[in-house]
Amino acid sequence: CALPIFALRLAGYRSFAREPGPLPMILDDIMETFDDTRARAALQLCADIGVDGQAILFTHHSHLVELARESIDGVAVVNMPN
């Protein structure tokens, strides 16, 4: 399950960001096994990071992109070519 991995990365990011300052947090398909409720919560945590830093999420799951668009004001989505 990806939830413990996401939690560890989030905790590590928050700890590290306090010291030298905000850095981008990069996640690659970390939410692929999350249900919509957990995905929305995780996306909100990433949006919170985006207030002072930057969260970059890679995914090939279109429903996660739609959840991000629905739940995060001003989210930037970049479609990468195949």
Side-chain angles (χ1 to χ4, degrees), residues 21-71:
L23 296 170
M25 182 175 73
I26 301 172
L27 303 167
D28 186 11
D29 245 345
I30 196 77
M31 297 177 217
E32 67 181 325
T33 61
F34 290 16
D35 61 27
D36 286 356
T37 301
R38 287 184 177 90
R40 277 191 192 92
L43 288 166
Q44 188 54 57
L45 289 169
C46 290
D48 294 345
I49 286 171
V51 171
D52 296 318
Q54 184 179 31
I56 301 169
L57 289 81
F58 293 98
T59 188
H60 64 278
H61 297 281
S62 58
H63 76 280
L64 292 174
V65 175
E66 292 310 313
L67 284 176
R69 286 185 170 136
E70 292 169 10
S71 57

